[in-house]
Amino acid sequence: MKIETPFERPVGIVGAGLVGAGWAIVFARAGFAVRLFDDDRHVCESAIPWARKQLQALYERGLLKEPPDKIAGRLSLTSSLEEAVAGAAYVQESVFEKLEVKRRLMEALDAIADESVVIGSSSSGIPASDFALDLTISPRVLIAHPVNPPYLVPVVELVPSAQTSPDTVAFAEQLMTNIGQSVVRVKKEVDGFVLNRLQAALLREAWALHRDGIASCEDIDKTVRDGLGWRWSFMGPFETIDLNAAGGIADYAHRLGPLYYKIAQSRIDEGPWDVDLVAQVERDRRERLPASELAKRRDWRDARLMDFAAARFAADES
Amino acid sequence: MKIETPFERPVGIVGAGLVGAGWAIVFARAGFAVRLFDDDRHVCESAIPWARKQLQALYERGLLKEPPDKIAGRLSLTSSLEEAVAGAAYVQESVFEKLEVKRRLMEALDAIADESVVIGSSSSGIPASDFALDLTISPRVLIAHPVNPPYLVPVVELVPSAQTSPDTVAFAEQLMTNIGQSVVRVKKEVDGFVLNRLQAALLREAWALHRDGIASCEDIDKTVRDGLGWRWSFMGPFETIDLNAAGGIADYAHRLGPLYYKIAQSRIDEGPWDVDLVAQVERDRRERLPASELAKRRDWRDARLMDFAAARFAADES
């Protein structure tokens, strides 16, 4: 299998909602011709105008090396799955996160896909073993799970199933690296992969702290955004603690391990987030941000992510 | 009790190692005369030259409103505890994190401190109830736990004991806000307070993922620094998920709650970080960063934190 990024072949995007259209930007920005398809005609037709708007915003923040029109010119709509994947070196699927929907798509791809195509799934929780086994394409399917939006936040988790070939993983890793994503190699399938497992662990403690009256949602958010999140945003948790004890990480584990174990032990009898607790946190959030302002606040978030990306890339390069 | 920041009275810093000297910068930058004391003469004498160096770096990144010399001019060494706290409106103690050491200091302060002084402790894990009960000063003692270095990372956790007066909490909150820190009100004492509990939860999952062969330390770090950490660095975990489902946080809990509970259930039988695991993670980190380069990498971290602070403050103000 050819490992170099095959710019001469297009990329197929199947499922053109927020995630799929976000991926379209990533591939087009890297120089690929991108063919989008979505079962829902309306979703499909909204994708390119939306992508143009995002490209314009990226351009204004200095995050594009080419004019937005040139990049948008690489995007094209197709009216069938066949057309979207014909001749493609890589297909990124971002259809609805439901087992049957993903399985049906894999069967359809199995019937029509070129024998060299690699298929990445944006699945954030369902492993490829659940929907892509025992097909001709199975060795060429893996999870490529992004954070939304993928054209701003670079991480992508690559998770092979037991039937995914090593060549497929190597191809996907090379491709994702070449287009500027930050590849996390998840070696075995596990619920939530790495990213959502880490998020789940932190959220579980956050919900429990709120429930127990230790701190408000806003104060818990502050603890992360004005504290923990600073170092994590450029180092990650292991490097953070490695630098936080004179002798490095083993020294840190020796000093803090007992406290951290005590904290863990205090949470072993937790149940799921219960209905009353969810209602309470929902009220707390809605007091700070009425539901009618969620959309506006998402625009704010995306603008902040762009500023963060611009500052972060400048720092990484200096 | 007077709530306004009493700039006419000095601040006492007891314990002048990295944490204490870091606090000295925060108070001096805000306009306070700061009097430092440390039992260890060598530590005490190193504090001001070290603070001058940090102030110079802050100044070069546009993070100071006054020349560094002017701010450093507010710092003075004292040769006794009495001298450091005489007339002070507020004392920040950052002595060694050991119960007996903190208790002995509280008894000494009880004997000499002015009856209006408020005492904040930098304790990162020991609650004030363990070392500051049943003294005359007890109503005026609380935890004021910073992230290191406090002059860069703004969060401070305020944790009252059962004997801390509401006036003391209000005074500390006002003071910390006035000097530019971001106050997290921890309503009850709990092991690790909020910040280290959140960190503990995430680290626990990180160590387990590494142990189970799911991902390398570096890939786990990447997941946070190139993924989760981006949004957390300006929003925190609750606002992140509130914006991550069409209908807000209750909608998110409905969709993701079951997966997150399944993840939590998979970790209820965990023990402490064991010796072999610590050794394995230590080897992994040392391969990426030899022990001899830890100090240099800490300088890199502090420079990145300064860049982050400069970009973040600019974004917050725009």
Side-chain angles (χ1 to χ4, degrees):
Chain A
M1 186 179 284
K2 200 176 153 200
I3 297 289
E4 309 87 67
T5 309
F7 285 112
E8 70 282 1
R9 290 170 65 187
V11 163
I13 296 287
V14 179
L18 274 186
V19 178
W23 272 119
I25 292 174
V26 175
F27 287 105
R29 182 175 62 185
F32 283 95
V34 177
R35 297 186 184 153
L36 295 102
F37 175 70
D38 198 294
D39 266 340
D40 183 328
R41 197 66 219 157
H42 177 71
V43 167
C44 207
E45 280 167 2
S46 311
I48 294 183
W50 177 87
R52 283 188 178 276
K53 212 179 118 194
Q54 307 311 312
L55 285 164
Q56 185 58 38
L58 290 168
Y59 188 69
E60 284 163 10
R61 279 174 171 82
L63 289 164
L64 295 182
K65 287 179 188 141
E66 298 177 296
D69 277 352
K70 191 170 175 194
I71 295 171
R74 299 188 185 118
L75 304 174
S76 58
L77 289 188
T78 65
S79 51
S80 69
L81 184 62
E82 287 81 350
E83 222 187 303
V85 307
Y90 181 77
V91 170
Q92 180 79 36
E93 78 78 9
S94 310
V95 300
F96 193 57
E97 181 102 354
K98 217 164 178 173
L99 191 52
E100 314 82 77
V101 179
K102 300 245 186 232
R103 177 69 191 183
R104 220 179 305 131
L105 173 64
M106 289 300 143
E107 288 170 351
L109 287 170
D110 201 44
I112 59 170
D114 184 285
E115 65 174 14
S116 73
V117 71
V118 166
I119 298 160
S121 166
S122 299
S123 167
S124 63
I126 312 175
S129 292
D130 285 359
F131 61 80
L133 289 199
D134 303 329
L135 299 169
T136 312
I137 56 170
S138 299
R140 291 176 279 116
V141 178
L142 82 173
I143 304 296
H145 172 232
V147 163
N148 215 16
Y151 54 84
L152 283 178
V153 186
V155 81
V156 58
E157 295 183 278
L158 297 182
V159 195
S161 79
Q163 293 184 352
T164 306
S165 76
D167 275 358
T168 294
V169 178
F171 174 90
E173 184 163 1
Q174 188 70 60
L175 174 67
M176 290 294 167
T177 304
N178 288 354
I179 65 175
Q181 301 307 95
S182 172
V183 173
V184 168
R185 284 279 306 270
V186 183
K187 293 174 201 155
K188 298 179 208 168
E189 290 180 333
V190 57
D191 285 323
F193 314 136
V194 170
L195 188 138
N196 278 325
R197 289 189 78 87
L198 294 172
Q199 176 162 236
L202 184 129
L203 281 174
R204 181 172 149 88
E205 183 59 32
W207 286 80
L209 285 167
H210 182 79
R211 179 198 60 204
D212 299 345
I214 305 295
S216 68
C217 288
E218 172 61 9
D219 275 346
I220 292 166
D221 271 354
K222 254 193 220 170
T223 307
V224 176
R225 75 169 186 253
D226 294 339
L228 286 168
W230 283 47
R231 293 174 303 201
W232 285 347
S233 74
F234 62 89
M235 294 198 296
F238 280 117
E239 183 161 18
T240 294
I241 63 174
D242 196 29
L243 302 184
N244 256 3
I249 200 162
D251 184 19
Y252 186 94
H254 175 72
R255 293 178 195 212
L256 273 301
L259 171 66
Y260 285 2
Y261 184 52
K262 204 169 156 199
I263 291 171
Q265 288 293 95
S266 72
R267 294 294 188 210
I268 56 168
D269 292 324
E270 298 288 302
W273 300 339
D274 80 27
V275 182
D276 291 346
L277 177 59
V278 170
Q280 183 188 327
V281 170
E282 165 80 2
R283 273 195 307 276
D284 194 322
R285 282 296 306 164
R286 292 292 72 79
E287 268 169 33
R288 291 198 69 80
L289 185 75
S292 58
E293 289 179 22
L294 278 166
K296 203 176 129 204
R297 188 75 176 168
R298 285 190 193 102
D299 292 342
W300 166 87
R301 172 196 65 193
D302 292 346
R304 286 292 296 252
L305 279 173
M306 289 200 197
D307 290 337
F308 185 87
R312 169 72 185 272
F313 295 144
D316 281 350
E317 276 165 20
S318 72
Chain B
M1 187 179 284
K2 198 177 155 198
I3 295 290
E4 307 87 68
T5 310
F7 286 109
E8 70 281 4
R9 290 170 64 186
V11 163
I13 296 287
V14 179
L18 274 187
V19 178
W23 273 119
I25 292 175
V26 175
F27 287 105
R29 181 175 63 185
F32 282 95
V34 177
R35 297 186 184 155
L36 295 102
F37 174 71
D38 198 293
D39 265 341
D40 183 328
R41 195 70 215 155
H42 177 72
V43 167
C44 208
E45 279 166 3
S46 310
I48 293 182
W50 177 87
R52 283 189 179 274
K53 213 177 117 194
Q54 306 312 313
L55 285 164
Q56 184 58 36
L58 289 168
Y59 188 68
E60 285 163 10
R61 280 175 170 81
L63 288 165
L64 294 183
K65 288 178 187 143
E66 298 177 296
D69 278 353
K70 190 167 175 196
I71 295 172
R74 299 188 185 117
L75 304 174
S76 59
L77 290 188
T78 64
S79 51
S80 70
L81 184 63
E82 287 79 350
E83 221 186 304
V85 306
Y90 182 77
V91 170
Q92 181 79 37
E93 79 79 8
S94 309
V95 299
F96 193 58
E97 181 99 357
K98 217 163 179 173
L99 190 53
E100 314 82 76
V101 179
K102 301 248 186 228
R103 176 70 191 183
R104 217 178 309 130
L105 173 64
M106 289 300 143
E107 288 169 353
L109 287 170
D110 201 46
I112 60 171
D114 184 285
E115 65 173 17
S116 74
V117 71
V118 166
I119 298 160
S121 165
S122 299
S123 166
S124 64
I126 312 175
S129 293
D130 285 0
F131 60 81
L133 288 199
D134 302 329
L135 300 168
T136 312
I137 56 169
S138 298
R140 290 177 279 116
V141 177
L142 83 174
I143 303 296
H145 171 232
V147 164
N148 215 17
Y151 53 85
L152 283 177
V153 186
V155 81
V156 58
E157 295 184 279
L158 297 183
V159 195
S161 79
Q163 292 183 354
T164 307
S165 76
D167 276 358
T168 294
V169 178
F171 173 90
E173 184 164 1
Q174 188 70 59
L175 174 68
M176 290 293 167
T177 303
N178 288 354
I179 64 175
Q181 301 307 94
S182 172
V183 173
V184 168
R185 283 279 305 269
V186 183
K187 293 173 201 157
K188 298 180 208 167
E189 289 180 334
V190 57
D191 284 324
F193 313 137
V194 170
L195 189 137
N196 278 326
R197 289 190 77 88
L198 294 171
Q199 176 162 236
L202 185 128
L203 282 173
R204 181 173 149 89
E205 183 59 32
W207 286 80
L209 286 167
H210 182 79
R211 178 198 62 201
D212 298 346
I214 305 295
S216 68
C217 286
E218 172 60 9
D219 275 346
I220 293 166
D221 272 354
K222 255 193 219 170
T223 307
V224 176
R225 74 169 186 253
D226 293 339
L228 285 168
W230 283 46
R231 293 173 304 200
W232 285 347
S233 73
F234 62 88
M235 294 196 296
F238 280 117
E239 183 161 19
T240 293
I241 63 174
D242 196 28
L243 302 184
N244 256 1
I249 200 161
D251 184 18
Y252 186 94
H254 175 71
R255 293 178 194 214
L256 273 302
L259 170 67
Y260 285 2
Y261 184 51
K262 204 170 155 197
I263 292 171
Q265 288 294 96
S266 72
R267 295 292 187 213
I268 55 170
D269 292 325
E270 300 288 303
W273 301 338
D274 80 27
V275 182
D276 291 345
L277 177 59
V278 170
Q280 183 188 326
V281 170
E282 165 81 2
R283 274 195 306 277
D284 193 325
R285 281 297 306 164
R286 293 292 73 79
E287 268 169 34
R288 291 199 68 82
L289 186 75
S292 58
E293 290 178 22
L294 278 167
K296 204 176 129 205
R297 188 75 177 167
R298 285 192 194 101
D299 291 343
W300 165 88
R301 173 196 63 193
D302 291 346
R304 285 292 296 252
L305 279 173
M306 288 200 198
D307 290 337
F308 185 88
R312 170 73 185 270
F313 294 144
D316 281 351
E317 275 165 20
S318 71

